[in-house]
């Protein structure tokens, strides 16, 4: 299947940096009374396509189990995709050997969610940061140490911290060290898997600002995987919303938050609490009935139909394609209709500063 | 209205729940951890009081102390009264008539607060029979009604299911059903929706609102999520370093914040209803260690308004503004903070804590955590009391840059006993 029209990335530099086409990842479910065998499959990611341009941030949002992290891991080839294509800087990653993939990883780095689990407590952070250089055979004594100092400065820490151990840092600082480790290879694309979810809000803000600064200074592209829709709105150029293994809506930040057209996106946005009591008292909420169906046996047709207030017979029989709805705005719904009211509230005093 | 709890009604004029001068400390190998350093609050019938604060601010410990759930190693002082009757320092037996009937509790993680080997129906029935003289059949009928009330579809069929057969949001609704099984007068909810996705959170909050309107219970809601607080609370208490730093109506706290920490919290929050063009304003540094007794305002090292007086004496809660509305803030410069508003904090991206001056000391982790999951309270230590060089109390832009001049010098790690809390 080729990309539908209007689906191309709003790419600033022409050629997309990363192009994911029809990515599928199924995990086997094993069971059986006597002999363990495959009794089913978890349909974690089912035909996801998107692209990211140089210096661009794509926010990938969705709730637990929607496949956003599996998508990120499949792109990094940390899990082997069942099918589909991942092209990064023109290179097909799914067919690369592990050693060829290692070369690609210089340009394609990752930052994980938990800053407590992703740093080795027994080695000084300077060595953790330097490790990628050594793995790639690029470690040159003095230059290397200078490079470590440079990235530490870039992430808002002090070069003198290189000799300290992870337990001497706060969560926010540890996440900065994780970012420094990714930056030392001068990557072109950073995959950020819930990078600020484990942090308290007052500290999260500093890391978000840092990511914005680094993007501006270094021209990095981000795949920003998160469940926090407020942070994603803040940092993303474009946003893709996932539900049960599929992208249901994708568009610019302004389109997704200003005129969401898929019922799920609308429900999701209406459920995000706003730290503003007057708005919270007045706004209307869409509370979805029921739960997300099991990805082992996803519903026929539209996967959201079991909870959708717009569902008709066609939604049961025919799966909606991710079709153009507006310029660079695609929606997978038979009854897509923009709702401009979800997050637009009458002007209220926001904090005491205004 | 429900029948009154005559056996508790010692003092009809007393507030429903009254906490006075509550202090909780734990002795650890590293020293005494003062988790709660004096909190007083009154909860009126039907009121929803939100307690906000970051990990380690003492909000959960306050709830645990109220319910008598702290381990024996905890030293608890002060007073917690339900309708005038003291709850602290009672043994389990003496607390039994209160727990679940007078005050019930909802915890964060429904998988750990439900027993996996009993059906949810049995667990609700057990709660009912603990306080009400009914037959099992009658209790089961009530259990089904409770499940219906919290929005579980087909409760007649689901009542026999086990917790693992429910999703996370449904489990939390079961926990709410158990919490309201005996028509409590106070519900304590500790981060009830933190582990949940937003659409599920919306369902659970709906269930909680339904539970409140059917029981007319007062709710003490502990959360770090200011959005949830804005939607459900009447009054808000902001905690920092084990103490309330601001208390007021929900509108006062959100529209007229007067303690720099509250301002910082609100300013650091990205909002889903505004386009992300405006930079976030983080609070520099990290929360202080709770070991030992701080001198001065514990927020001073992170505060742009901090002056000498802040490092010398800890400000008490004082009335904000000329009219006494019950809006209190613990800040020597509350009026200044109130006027400066969100612009008090700079939109920086560096971590001032890491670029602090020569005294920069990162002590070893205490290993103690009162928060949930990986939290900020573990790592920072007494070193956070050190005021950074280049830290400008002048306000915005004060720490926009992190020049190399601020690099630490000398021995980067001192043993913890050499660090002092100024």
């Amino acid at each position: 299947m080729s990309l539908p029209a209007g689906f191309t990335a709003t790419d600033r530099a022409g050629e997309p940096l990363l192009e994911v086409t029809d990515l599928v990842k199924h995990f086997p479910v094993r069971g059986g009374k006597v002999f363990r065998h495959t009794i089913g499959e978890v349909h974690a990611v089912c035909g996801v396509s998107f692209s990211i341009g140089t210096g661009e941030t794509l926010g990938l949002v969705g709730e637990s189990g929607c496949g956003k992290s599996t998508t990120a891991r499949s792109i990094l080839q940390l899990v082997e995709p069942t099918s589909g294509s991942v092209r990064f800087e023109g290179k097909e990653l799914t067919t690369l050997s592990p050693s060829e993939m290692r070369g690609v990883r210089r340009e394609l780095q990752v930052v994980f969610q938990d800053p407590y689990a992703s740093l080795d407590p027994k080695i000084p952070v300077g060595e953790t940061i330097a490790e990628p250089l050594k793995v790639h055979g690029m470690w040159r004594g003095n230059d290397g140490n200078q490079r470590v100092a440079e990235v530490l400065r870039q992430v808002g820490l002090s070069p003198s911290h290189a000799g300290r151990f992870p337990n001497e840092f706060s969560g926010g600082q540890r996440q900065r060290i994780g970012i420094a480790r990714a930056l030392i290879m001068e990557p072109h694309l950073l995959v950020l898997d819930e990078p600020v979810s484990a942090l308290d809000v007052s500290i999260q803000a500093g890391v978000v600002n840092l990511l914005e600064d680094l993007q501006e200074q270094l021209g990095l592209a981000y795949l920003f995987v998160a469940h926090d829709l407020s942070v994603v709105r803040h940092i993303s150029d474009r946003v893709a919303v996932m539900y049960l293994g599929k992208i249901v809506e994708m568009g610019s930040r302004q389109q997704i938050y200003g005129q969401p057209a898929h019922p799920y996106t609308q429900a999701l946005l209406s459920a995000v609490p706003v730290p503003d009591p007057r708005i919270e008292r007045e706004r209307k909420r869409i509370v979805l009935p029921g739960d997300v169906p099991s990805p082992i046996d996803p519903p026929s047709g539209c996967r959201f139909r079991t909870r959708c207030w717009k569902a008709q017979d066609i939604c049961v029989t025919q799966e909606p394609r991710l079709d153009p709805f507006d310029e660079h705005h695609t929606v997978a719904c038979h009854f897509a209709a923009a709702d401009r009211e979800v997050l637009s509230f009458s002007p209220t005093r926001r904090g005491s500063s205004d | 209205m429900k029948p009154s709890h005559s056996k508790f009604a010692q003092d009809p004029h007393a507030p429903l729940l009254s906490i006075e001068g509550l202090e909780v400390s734990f002795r650890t190998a590293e020293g005494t951890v003062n988790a709660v350093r004096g909190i007083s609050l009154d909860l009126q019938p039907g009121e929803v009081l939100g307690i906000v604060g970051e990990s380690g601010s003492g909000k959960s410990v306050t709830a645990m102390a109220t319910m008598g759930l702290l381990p024996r190693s905890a030293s608890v002082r002060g007073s917690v009264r339900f309708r005038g009757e003291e709850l602290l320092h009672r043994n389990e037996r003496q607390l039994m008539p209160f727990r679940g009937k007078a005050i019930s509790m909802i915890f964060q993680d429904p998988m750990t607060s439900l027993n996996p080997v009993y059906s949810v129906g049995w667990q609700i029935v057990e709660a009912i029979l603990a306080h009400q003289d009914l037959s099992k059949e009658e209790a089961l009928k009530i259990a089904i009604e409770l499940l219906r009330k919290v929005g579980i579809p087909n409760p007649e069929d689901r009542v026999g299911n086990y917790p693992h057969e429910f999703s996370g949001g449904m489990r939390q609704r079961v926990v709410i059903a158990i919490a309201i099984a005996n028509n409590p007068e106070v519900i304590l909810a500790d981060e009830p929706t933190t582990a949940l996705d937003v659409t599920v959170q919306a369902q659970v909050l709906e269930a909680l609102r339904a539970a409140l309107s059917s029981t007319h219970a007062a709710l003490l809601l502990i959360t770090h999520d200011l959005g949830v607080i804005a939607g459900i609370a009447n009054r808000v208490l902001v905690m920092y370093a084990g103490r309330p730093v601001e208390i007021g109506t929900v509108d006062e706290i959100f529209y007229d914040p007067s303690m720099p920490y509250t301002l910082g919290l609100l300013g650091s929050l990205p909002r889903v209803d505004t386009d992300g063009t405006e930079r976030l304003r983080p609070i520099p540094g990290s929360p202080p260690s709770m070991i030992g007794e701080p001198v001065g305002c514990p927020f001073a090292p992170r505060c742009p308004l901090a002056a000498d007086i802040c490092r010398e004496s800890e400000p008490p809660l004082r009335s904000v503004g000329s009219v006494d509305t019950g809006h209190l803030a613990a800040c020597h410069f509350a009026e200044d903070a109130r006027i400066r508003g969100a612009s008090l904090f700079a939109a920086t991206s560096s971590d001032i804590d890491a670029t602090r001056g020569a005294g920069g000391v990162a002590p070893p982790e205490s290993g103690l955590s009162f928060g949930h999951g990986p939290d900020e309270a573990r790592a920072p230590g007494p070193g956070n009391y050190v005021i950074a060089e280049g830290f400008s109390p002048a306000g915005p832009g004060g720490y926009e840059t992190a020049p190399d001049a601020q690099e630490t010098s000398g021995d980067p790690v001192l043993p913890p006993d050499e660090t002092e809390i100024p």
Side-chain angles (χ1 to χ4, degrees):
Chain A
M1 191 187 94
S2 64
L3 292 172
F7 190 69
T8 47
T10 51
D11 186 8
R12 292 167 188 170
E15 184 87 348
L17 184 66
L18 176 79
E19 188 152 18
V20 178
T21 315
D22 286 334
L23 186 70
V24 175
K25 178 63 194 176
H26 292 173
F27 292 100
V29 181
R30 297 192 184 277
K33 289 209 168 79
V34 183
F35 298 105
R36 292 185 68 77
H37 59 281
T38 304
I39 53 169
E41 276 183 326
V42 173
H43 299 243
V45 179
C46 307
V48 161
S49 305
F50 59 83
S51 55
I52 300 177
T54 308
E56 187 186 44
T57 302
L58 176 74
L60 193 58
V61 291
E63 298 181 289
S64 318
C66 73
K68 56 190 191 302
S69 283
T70 305
T71 302
R73 276 153 208 258
S74 305
I75 289 167
L76 294 159
Q77 307 299 310
L78 294 176
V79 296
E80 195 187 331
T82 307
S83 67
S85 142
V86 178
R87 291 182 76 81
F88 177 68
E89 300 189 316
K91 217 181 269 175
E92 177 61 49
L93 302 188
T94 51
T95 53
L96 291 185
S97 69
S99 64
E100 288 170 319
M101 190 57 211
R102 197 170 297 150
V104 174
R105 292 220 167 94
R106 283 182 210 167
E107 269 90 51
L108 179 61
Q109 287 282 326
V110 61
V111 176
F112 293 104
Q113 170 175 5
D114 186 351
Y116 291 85
S118 57
L119 297 177
D120 187 331
K122 284 183 244 159
I123 55 176
V125 298
E127 277 183 41
T128 298
I129 294 170
E131 204 169 10
L133 283 180
K134 293 177 180 168
V135 167
H136 289 281
M138 293 160 71
W139 177 257
R140 310 274 178 274
N142 238 349
D143 287 359
N145 284 324
Q146 270 178 19
R147 182 78 188 111
V148 169
E150 190 187 333
V151 293
L152 273 171
R153 235 177 256 132
Q154 274 178 335
V155 299
L157 297 173
S158 158
S160 64
H161 287 126
R164 297 190 186 174
F165 289 87
N167 69 350
E168 300 172 43
F169 294 92
S170 70
Q173 291 171 335
R174 286 184 207 205
Q175 199 55 300
R176 286 166 190 265
I177 292 161
I179 295 169
R181 173 174 57 185
L183 285 183
I184 200 155
M185 297 310 295
E186 300 180 38
H188 300 159
L189 176 68
L190 267 191
V191 175
L192 303 154
D193 190 0
E194 301 272 11
V196 295
S197 309
L199 309 177
D200 270 326
V201 285
S202 69
I203 283 134
Q204 166 184 304
V207 177
V208 169
N209 286 351
L210 172 70
L211 289 171
E212 289 177 341
D213 288 353
L214 290 172
Q215 182 163 55
E216 203 172 308
Q217 290 159 13
L218 308 172
L220 290 169
Y222 294 145
L223 175 64
F224 193 94
V225 179
H227 70 278
D228 185 328
L229 288 131
S230 313
V231 173
V232 167
R233 178 167 196 176
H234 194 84
I235 204 164
S236 307
D237 299 310
R238 286 189 308 131
V239 178
V241 181
M242 284 188 79
Y243 183 79
L244 211 52
K246 288 185 179 279
I247 292 179
V248 296
E249 183 163 7
M250 178 155 59
S252 71
R253 174 180 68 199
Q254 291 81 0
Q255 286 164 335
I256 297 296
Y257 288 87
Q259 48 213 51
H262 194 285
Y264 178 63
T265 314
Q266 293 164 2
L268 202 57
L269 293 177
S270 89
V272 181
V274 176
D276 192 321
R278 282 176 209 149
I279 287 176
E280 282 294 305
R281 283 195 283 264
E282 284 157 23
R283 77 194 286 207
K284 58 174 200 289
R285 259 187 211 82
I286 305 165
V287 178
L288 292 176
D291 294 307
V292 181
S294 164
I296 294 172
D297 184 21
S300 67
C302 174
R303 294 188 170 190
F304 185 59
R305 69 173 164 82
T306 53
R307 308 172 74 194
C308 183
W309 63 96
K310 287 184 173 177
Q312 307 280 333
D313 291 345
I314 186 177
C315 305
V316 181
T317 54
Q318 203 180 328
E319 186 177 342
R321 282 163 32 112
L322 192 59
D323 279 334
F325 177 76
D326 202 347
E327 203 182 348
H328 306 310
H329 184 181
T330 50
V331 184
C333 177
H334 293 299
F335 304 100
D339 182 346
R340 289 164 204 274
E341 306 295 309
V342 182
L343 287 179
S344 88
F345 308 112
S346 52
T348 321
R349 255 178 92 204
R350 303 190 194 284
S352 69
S353 63
D354 299 354
Chain B
M1 281 295 283
K2 62 204 160 131
S4 70
H5 298 282
S6 54
K7 64 176 161 165
F8 306 127
Q10 305 290 315
D11 179 358
H13 304 294
L16 196 52
L17 182 73
S18 171
I19 298 178
E20 256 180 74
L22 182 70
E23 290 176 28
V24 182
S25 57
F26 300 86
R27 288 172 81 94
T28 69
E30 282 84 18
T32 303
V33 174
N34 293 301
V36 178
R37 302 185 302 115
I39 176 170
S40 300
L41 61 89
D42 284 341
L43 195 63
Q44 304 299 339
E47 183 181 39
V48 179
L49 175 66
I51 299 186
V52 277
E54 291 177 290
S55 317
S57 60
K59 48 192 200 306
S60 290
V61 177
T62 302
M64 303 282 269
T66 304
M67 290 296 277
L69 293 172
L70 287 172
R72 279 168 192 277
S73 62
S75 146
V76 183
R77 291 169 302 277
S79 149
V80 175
R81 289 200 192 89
F82 176 79
R83 290 197 181 282
E85 202 167 339
E86 183 62 51
L87 296 184
L88 286 189
H89 309 298
R90 282 175 178 250
N91 62 30
E92 293 287 313
R93 230 188 133 74
Q94 292 166 325
L95 278 171
M96 285 250 290
F98 291 93
R99 285 184 181 160
K101 182 144 181 69
I103 309 177
S104 64
M105 183 140 185
I106 300 167
F107 295 95
Q108 173 177 5
D109 181 0
M111 204 55 224
T112 47
S113 48
L114 291 175
N115 191 329
V117 303
Y118 294 109
S119 70
V120 299
W122 192 90
Q123 295 185 54
I124 303 174
V125 166
E126 185 192 31
I128 296 169
L129 296 182
H131 292 287
Q132 296 175 43
D133 193 14
L134 296 171
S135 71
K136 275 189 184 157
E137 289 70 30
E138 288 168 315
L140 192 65
K141 266 188 203 138
I142 298 174
I144 291 169
E145 277 321 299
L146 287 167
L147 287 177
R148 196 188 314 281
K149 213 178 262 176
V150 295
I152 304 272
N154 309 322
E156 296 86 355
D157 305 331
R158 301 307 301 266
V159 74
N161 286 165
Y162 289 82
H164 75 267
E165 297 173 87
F166 287 83
S167 66
M170 300 243 271
R171 281 181 211 143
Q172 196 62 310
R173 279 183 268 173
V174 171
V175 172
I176 293 173
I178 294 173
I180 61 169
N182 294 296
N183 277 319
E185 294 184 71
V186 177
I187 299 174
L188 280 178
D190 186 3
E191 305 272 9
T193 60
T194 303
L196 308 172
D197 281 315
V198 290
T199 60
V200 182
Q201 169 171 284
Q203 292 173 338
V204 170
L205 287 176
E206 190 111 312
L208 196 56
R209 285 193 186 97
L212 288 180
S213 70
S214 77
T215 57
H216 305 283
L219 175 67
L220 193 68
L221 176 69
I222 292 166
T223 177
H224 68 279
D225 190 329
L226 287 158
V228 171
I229 288 280
I232 198 167
N234 314 120
R235 273 200 309 149
V236 182
L237 184 146
V238 183
M239 276 190 90
Y240 189 77
R243 219 170 239 197
V245 292
E246 185 160 2
I247 184 162
T249 65
V250 69
D251 282 27
E252 281 165 347
I253 297 295
F254 283 84
Y255 301 124
D256 193 15
S258 305
M259 160 73 195
Y261 177 65
T262 316
L263 280 163
L265 268 188
L266 289 167
S268 60
L269 211 57
R271 290 178 57 143
V272 75
D273 61 328
T274 53
D275 222 348
T277 44
E278 207 171 297
R279 291 270 281 181
L280 301 177
R281 298 169 181 275
I283 304 177
S286 336
S289 157
M290 306 299 282
I291 296 174
E293 199 58 52
V295 175
C297 173
F299 189 61
R302 306 174 74 187
C303 181
L305 287 178
D308 287 346
I309 182 175
C310 306
R311 294 181 268 274
E312 284 154 15
S313 76
E314 186 167 8
L317 276 173
R318 272 190 292 245
S319 186
V320 174
S322 46
V323 192
D324 183 13
T325 57
H327 182 189
L328 309 173
C331 178
H332 292 299
F333 302 103
E335 286 307 315
D336 290 4
R338 205 175 160 198
I339 293 159
R340 295 278 288 279
S343 62
L344 193 59
F345 290 89
T348 178
S349 66
S350 82
D351 194 331
I352 192 164
D353 198 33
T355 51
R356 66 188 166 222
V361 173
E365 236 173 270
S366 72
L368 246 179
S369 162
F370 304 109
H372 307 274
D375 67 43
E376 290 295 313
R378 290 185 209 168
N384 294 309
Y385 282 91
V386 176
I387 309 304
E389 279 170 20
F391 185 97
S392 158
Y399 17 81
E400 193 71 74
T401 52
D404 297 347
Q406 289 180 16
E407 282 171 27
T408 57
S409 58
D411 187 4
V413 185
L414 293 172
D417 55 344
E418 283 186 50
T419 61
E420 271 183 11
I421 299 160

